[in-house]
Amino acid sequence: MKITRMHGAGGKVMQNLIGDVILGSLTNTQVNGGIGLQDLDDGSTIPIGDNEIVFTVDGHTVDPIFFKGGDIGRISVCGTVNDLSVMGAKPLALSMSFVLPEGFDIDKLKEIMDSINKACEEAGVAVITGDTKVSNVSDIIISSAGIGIVEKGKAVRDKGMKEGDSIIVTGNLAEHGLTILLSREGFDLESNLKSDVAPVNGLIQSVLNEGITINAMKDPTRGGLADSLNEMAEKSGLGITLQEDQIPLSEEVNFISEALGIDPLTVANEGKVVMAIPKKDAEKALEIIKNHPLGKNAKIVGEVTSEHKGVIMETLVGRRVVDTPIGDPIPRVC
Amino acid sequence: MKITRMHGAGGKVMQNLIGDVILGSLTNTQVNGGIGLQDLDDGSTIPIGDNEIVFTVDGHTVDPIFFKGGDIGRISVCGTVNDLSVMGAKPLALSMSFVLPEGFDIDKLKEIMDSINKACEEAGVAVITGDTKVSNVSDIIISSAGIGIVEKGKAVRDKGMKEGDSIIVTGNLAEHGLTILLSREGFDLESNLKSDVAPVNGLIQSVLNEGITINAMKDPTRGGLADSLNEMAEKSGLGITLQEDQIPLSEEVNFISEALGIDPLTVANEGKVVMAIPKKDAEKALEIIKNHPLGKNAKIVGEVTSEHKGVIMETLVGRRVVDTPIGDPIPRVC
């Protein structure tokens, strides 16, 4: 069997590859009883003393490397910072491993480095180790691993949501993935759409600092909100009921999604968070989030239930299942 | 200006790129006063409580991906384990970020995963987090970051060697790089040569466990022993005098190096260590190292001096300067 694009797209095909080939081959996947690879969370942990070191990695191969709202440098910082942040950790340090094609313009590399630096300053993290290789690649690839820290036992898990929890989404969805798709497919739409790529650690800390418990949390990147919610539902053994009219989507995203025949719930975000929060604290949490510059379009979009499994959305015309996407969304009009 | 192969080859061209473009762009390069990116050591550290977390990363793009003695999977574990080990750290956990070409054979990926698993078991480390992407690359790329731990203040630095220290090399040099070169260039030599790729943490711990101080240590990978010794000399402000007749080289490596017109001191190793050890402990350290399966050809190859800078080698016909290589060794007969 051969690798296809679907194996790297988030969704079920990738999950099967990871489960069968990668996890299936490895004997040692956790340290000191911490969260391990087999938990398939946004990061893993190493308990040391009173703390847990949180560790995560992301490979970045975005095409095009410069796009409205960001570039591969900004994504390589934010993607890793955000994976640490949704574990409830304080991000501390990143590693950056660059693979460059021969002939790559050093001025472009400088531009990417400036973008990395700006994102690191926003997030308050440092790049403390790195590597560069030159190889047969069509464009620059950046793999960024990250280290964060959280008090022992306080890591926020994908699986932690409880019956009755409110589901909060911190802002308008699908902006990153649609921006990339439009520019990759060469659609010359007059559009104000830009990627939402941003570090979310400050937004999350603003909630945690008020003593609010976040029972479960993810950043809905590849596979979009649909993928994240299904993962949270499956891991907790519970279900989620969404209210379609509460899902934050800009008019522009609605218009473009319909024009392209794409479900915006399956499209990647790079600066959003989905949280399960005890109902009694949900309104307070929403208010805190809406006061943060990255959270002004936040909404309570649904509720955790034991009455069904998976994710079901109540719409104007009835209920529909929101399933885990198979792979990347493909415009039906192309 | 454009990126060339030399920018990824170790040596001076790469050092300039890292210094000017990468370090030059970054404001935050260290955490809590630990060892940072600007120190350009084999890893960096984050002081936490009584310990320092050691963090390092390597991108692996080896061509061919399977070779005598190992494959890209084994290298991706050992390269990172060894960078942690030469900082004096106990390696704990790895991240693995895979970039796969479309059409890559999943059976090959399984073979690489088995090799990763075997190397992890040898080194006693776990793969706790990972990522997979599918992109326009000519072959699989693996970026592996690693976390280790060392008692606060006990990290072994590149810069730590002191006048009079003995320089120990733990075994025969140049076997990895020559194996790759022979197979890449299609030389069909009848050869027993194979890569030395192995995790060196056990070997190093066997020395440290006897209470011997290692003043400075590196693993001579890209750029070979010549690059490592020059870096150690420059960072300490001292010089090294080598004895050519003490440098451990197999007959086969000597023969092939001469045939190809390559200096074996500039060729990469993946399972060797160079240490600066106080002269009084050097013989004891050598004996411990020689008793380890990976150290049986270890030698004391030279001495640290304040009488000159850089690296000078005493040969049968006089003294010669051993300089930092510019880039990868290129066979002069091709």
Side-chain angles (χ1 to χ4, degrees):
Chain A
M1 227 176 89
K2 306 281 188 190
I3 292 288
T4 68
R5 288 270 156 187
M6 301 283 260
H7 286 108
K12 287 180 183 168
V13 177
M14 191 177 88
Q15 285 170 17
N16 291 341
L17 178 77
I18 290 171
D20 296 349
V21 180
I22 299 190
L23 262 176
S25 305
L26 295 172
T27 314
N28 303 332
T29 58
Q30 72 186 128
V31 177
N32 296 352
I35 300 168
L37 185 67
Q38 74 284 350
D39 294 304
L40 297 173
D41 215 311
D42 299 284
S44 291
T45 70
I46 305 174
I48 292 178
D50 298 333
N51 296 302
E52 292 184 62
I53 302 299
V54 184
F55 190 28
T56 191
V57 70
D58 254 329
H60 302 279
T61 58
V62 61
D63 169 27
I65 58 171
F66 297 96
F67 48 83
K68 281 191 196 167
D71 59 33
I72 190 170
R74 185 168 175 84
I75 286 203
S76 66
V77 174
C78 298
T80 300
V81 162
N82 292 352
D83 280 341
L84 296 171
S85 305
V86 295
M87 299 294 293
K90 176 180 161 57
L92 296 175
L94 303 180
S95 68
M96 289 274 163
S97 167
F98 299 96
V99 183
L100 299 163
E102 269 187 282
F104 193 75
D105 198 323
I106 291 182
D107 287 337
K108 272 200 218 172
L109 181 59
K110 281 188 184 149
E111 204 176 324
I112 292 166
M113 288 308 307
D114 286 341
S115 178
I116 287 174
N117 190 49
K118 187 167 169 295
C120 282
E121 290 186 333
E122 282 174 48
V125 296
V127 175
I128 68 170
T129 185
D131 184 71
T132 55
K133 291 285 179 335
V134 178
S135 189
N136 294 325
V137 292
S138 64
D139 215 331
I140 181 172
I141 294 173
I142 304 178
S143 177
S144 48
I147 291 182
I149 191 163
V150 66
E151 208 182 310
K152 190 175 269 180
K154 299 281 187 184
V156 179
R157 305 295 306 275
D158 286 355
K159 69 177 182 186
M161 62 184 207
K162 295 186 170 53
E163 187 170 1
D165 280 356
S166 299
I167 302 290
I168 294 180
V169 168
T170 60
N172 288 343
L173 294 173
E175 293 172 347
H176 174 72
L178 283 185
T179 301
I180 296 294
L181 191 69
L182 288 182
S183 99
R184 191 183 301 164
E185 302 288 343
F187 289 116
D188 204 14
L189 295 181
E190 281 293 329
S191 157
N192 296 312
L193 200 64
K194 60 177 192 176
S195 170
D196 63 339
V197 55
V200 297
N201 52 325
L203 174 70
I204 292 170
Q205 278 306 319
S206 70
V207 177
L208 293 173
N209 286 348
E210 295 296 319
I212 291 173
T213 299
I214 303 173
N215 281 332
M217 178 158 54
K218 284 192 83 65
D219 58 330
T221 56
R222 282 184 289 180
L225 185 69
D227 197 56
S228 292
L229 289 181
N230 273 286
E231 211 172 322
M232 290 162 83
E234 194 185 324
K235 287 179 176 172
S236 67
L238 295 165
I240 294 168
T241 308
L242 292 179
Q243 304 302 325
E244 186 176 40
D245 59 359
Q246 294 305 304
I247 308 254
L249 294 169
S250 70
E251 274 184 40
E252 188 148 27
V253 162
N254 265 322
F255 174 78
I256 294 171
S257 302
E258 272 196 36
L260 298 180
I262 280 178
D263 179 354
L265 300 191
T266 66
V267 175
N269 311 278
E270 292 288 349
K272 296 300 179 312
V273 186
V274 50
M275 306 173 178
I277 290 191
K279 192 167 203 159
K280 67 175 177 54
D281 297 327
E283 288 295 342
K284 185 179 170 197
L286 185 66
E287 196 189 316
I288 296 165
I289 293 167
K290 286 171 80 79
N291 279 327
H292 190 279
L294 293 177
K296 57 186 192 297
N297 297 310
K299 290 268 192 181
I300 297 174
V301 298
E303 194 171 304
V304 179
T305 174
S306 63
E307 286 172 20
H308 62 79
K309 303 279 180 189
V311 183
I312 285 174
M313 185 157 70
E314 297 190 337
T315 76
L316 281 175
V317 294
R319 293 159 70 95
R320 79 163 173 95
V321 172
V322 176
D323 209 351
T324 304
I326 306 295
D328 269 337
I330 294 164
R332 267 182 265 146
V333 293
C334 291
Chain B
M1 225 174 92
K2 306 283 187 188
I3 291 289
T4 67
R5 288 270 156 188
M6 300 283 261
H7 286 108
K12 288 179 183 170
V13 178
M14 191 177 88
Q15 285 170 16
N16 290 342
L17 178 77
I18 291 172
D20 295 349
V21 180
I22 299 191
L23 262 177
S25 305
L26 296 172
T27 315
N28 302 332
T29 58
Q30 73 185 126
V31 177
N32 295 354
I35 299 168
L37 186 66
Q38 74 285 351
D39 294 304
L40 297 174
D41 213 311
D42 299 284
S44 292
T45 70
I46 304 174
I48 292 178
D50 298 332
N51 296 303
E52 292 184 61
I53 302 300
V54 184
F55 191 27
T56 191
V57 69
D58 255 328
H60 301 279
T61 57
V62 61
D63 168 26
I65 59 171
F66 297 97
F67 48 83
K68 280 192 197 165
D71 59 32
I72 190 169
R74 185 168 175 83
I75 286 203
S76 66
V77 174
C78 298
T80 301
V81 162
N82 293 352
D83 279 342
L84 296 172
S85 305
V86 296
M87 297 293 295
K90 175 179 160 57
L92 295 175
L94 303 180
S95 67
M96 288 274 163
S97 168
F98 298 97
V99 182
L100 299 162
E102 269 188 281
F104 193 74
D105 198 323
I106 290 182
D107 286 338
K108 271 200 217 172
L109 181 60
K110 281 188 183 148
E111 203 176 323
I112 291 166
M113 288 308 306
D114 287 342
S115 178
I116 286 174
N117 190 48
K118 187 167 170 293
C120 281
E121 290 186 333
E122 282 173 50
V125 296
V127 176
I128 68 171
T129 186
D131 184 72
T132 56
K133 291 286 181 327
V134 178
S135 189
N136 293 325
V137 292
S138 63
D139 216 331
I140 182 172
I141 295 173
I142 305 178
S143 176
S144 47
I147 290 181
I149 190 164
V150 66
E151 207 181 310
K152 191 175 271 182
K154 299 282 188 185
V156 179
R157 305 296 305 275
D158 286 355
K159 68 176 182 185
M161 63 185 207
K162 295 185 171 52
E163 187 170 1
D165 281 357
S166 298
I167 302 290
I168 293 180
V169 167
T170 61
N172 288 341
L173 294 173
E175 292 172 349
H176 174 73
L178 283 186
T179 301
I180 296 295
L181 192 69
L182 288 182
S183 104
R184 190 183 302 165
E185 302 288 344
F187 289 117
D188 203 14
L189 295 180
E190 281 293 328
S191 158
N192 294 313
L193 200 63
K194 61 177 191 177
S195 170
D196 62 340
V197 56
V200 297
N201 52 324
L203 174 69
I204 292 170
Q205 278 305 319
S206 70
V207 176
L208 293 173
N209 287 347
E210 295 296 320
I212 290 173
T213 299
I214 303 174
N215 281 332
M217 177 156 57
K218 284 191 85 63
D219 58 330
T221 55
R222 281 183 291 180
L225 185 69
D227 198 55
S228 292
L229 290 181
N230 273 286
E231 211 171 322
M232 291 163 82
E234 194 184 323
K235 287 178 175 173
S236 67
L238 294 166
I240 294 168
T241 308
L242 292 179
Q243 304 301 325
E244 186 175 42
D245 59 0
Q246 294 305 303
I247 307 253
L249 294 169
S250 70
E251 273 183 41
E252 190 147 27
V253 162
N254 264 322
F255 174 77
I256 294 170
S257 302
E258 272 195 35
L260 298 180
I262 281 179
D263 179 355
L265 299 191
T266 66
V267 175
N269 311 276
E270 291 288 349
K272 296 300 180 310
V273 186
V274 51
M275 304 172 179
I277 290 190
K279 192 168 204 160
K280 67 176 178 53
D281 297 328
E283 286 295 342
K284 186 178 170 197
L286 184 67
E287 197 188 314
I288 296 165
I289 293 167
K290 287 171 79 80
N291 278 328
H292 190 279
L294 293 177
K296 57 185 192 299
N297 296 310
K299 290 268 192 182
I300 297 173
V301 298
E303 195 171 305
V304 179
T305 173
S306 62
E307 285 171 20
H308 61 78
K309 302 280 179 189
V311 183
I312 285 175
M313 185 157 70
E314 296 189 338
T315 76
L316 281 176
V317 293
R319 293 158 70 95
R320 79 163 172 95
V321 172
V322 176
D323 209 351
T324 304
I326 305 295
D328 270 337
I330 295 164
R332 265 181 266 146
V333 295
C334 289

